[in-house]
Amino acid sequence: MDLPLPRADRIADAALELLAERGMRGLTHRAVDEAARLPQGSTSNHARTRLALLETAVRRLAVREGRVLSVDELPNPAGGLASLTDGMALALHRYLTRHPQLLVCRYELALEATRRPELRAFFDETGRQFREPLTQLLRAAGSRSPERHTLSLVAWTEGIMFSSIAGSFHTTPPTLTQLHDGYAELLHGMLPHSSPCAD
């Protein structure tokens, strides 16, 4: 039997739910109380200001994205290029098909961060938990420029995410095979044939 969520997590999950359904304007302390089915004033006690509420949402989004993308499940570079490609494609496909609302929240918060420097710093800090392991993975796989290759992989991945959720491909998101082929093409160009990830 699952244990009930702590109140802080209920508040954060409700904030993400509101962001996905109503956008930034729909995110208020009172609305979060109602969505979380908590007594009025509960959200204000946890996050007194709007900035604190937004930071709560960003922190919870990072936790939930981490579970979806399962960075710890990415394969060992010694497993070869096929294993690395499979892991990345599976993680992205899982996100696109099972948790599209989280991506909507990500875009809402990212846009808000462009108008709030204090949130921008907080948002960027949470993003490092995904980029740094990827850089380490590429370095171990033989990349001669792991930071630049991380940028390329993240940019491609984020482009696929946006196109599939809010862009021109929102009605026909890529299949697992298409994602696999895309990552394979990118990684083949980044990693030397003599690396452990070569075919």
Side-chain angles (χ1 to χ4, degrees):
M1 181 177 181
D2 293 336
L3 295 175
L5 283 176
R7 176 169 291 199
D9 290 344
R10 289 175 62 187
I11 288 171
D13 283 341
L16 293 177
E17 179 183 331
L18 288 167
L19 282 171
E21 291 181 355
R22 307 180 190 177
M24 195 60 64
R25 291 185 178 181
L27 180 65
T28 66
H29 287 75
R30 181 185 293 274
V32 173
D33 285 340
E34 293 175 356
R37 298 182 180 178
L38 292 172
Q40 186 175 340
S42 298
T43 301
S44 293
N45 288 336
H46 175 72
R48 293 195 175 276
T49 66
R50 182 165 180 79
L51 176 60
L53 181 57
L54 291 171
E55 289 178 349
T56 294
V58 171
R59 188 181 297 111
R60 184 63 172 168
L61 178 64
V63 169
R64 291 181 59 179
E65 282 187 323
R67 292 173 182 169
V68 174
L69 297 174
S70 300
V71 173
D72 292 340
E73 293 179 9
L74 287 178
N76 188 306
L81 178 58
S83 178
L84 186 59
T85 302
D86 286 345
M88 291 183 172
L90 283 169
L92 181 54
H93 188 258
R94 179 166 53 192
Y95 200 170
L96 292 175
T97 58
R98 300 184 188 178
H99 305 277
Q101 297 86 355
L102 287 183
L103 277 172
V104 175
C105 293
R106 164 185 276 273
Y107 300 137
E108 289 283 352
L109 290 165
L111 287 172
E112 185 68 11
T114 65
R115 298 180 283 269
R116 288 176 174 262
E118 62 275 31
L119 183 63
R120 177 83 265 169
F122 192 82
F123 190 87
D124 289 348
E125 181 62 31
T126 62
R128 290 192 180 94
Q129 71 173 311
F130 302 107
R131 293 194 305 274
E132 290 178 356
L134 180 57
T135 300
Q136 294 169 7
L137 194 66
L138 289 170
R139 183 178 290 111
S143 168
R144 295 189 178 93
S145 185
E147 290 81 9
R148 180 169 57 81
H149 288 160
T150 296
L151 171 62
S152 295
L153 276 176
V154 169
W156 185 85
T157 300
E158 290 186 341
I160 291 290
M161 287 176 170
F162 185 85
S163 295
S164 300
I165 299 301
S168 56
F169 291 94
H170 70 278
T171 59
T172 55
T175 64
L176 178 58
T177 297
Q178 290 172 327
L179 294 175
H180 180 278
D181 291 347
Y183 277 123
E185 290 165 355
L186 288 168
L187 290 168
H188 268 294
M190 293 175 180
L191 302 177
H193 293 296
S194 59
S195 76
C197 284
D199 289 339

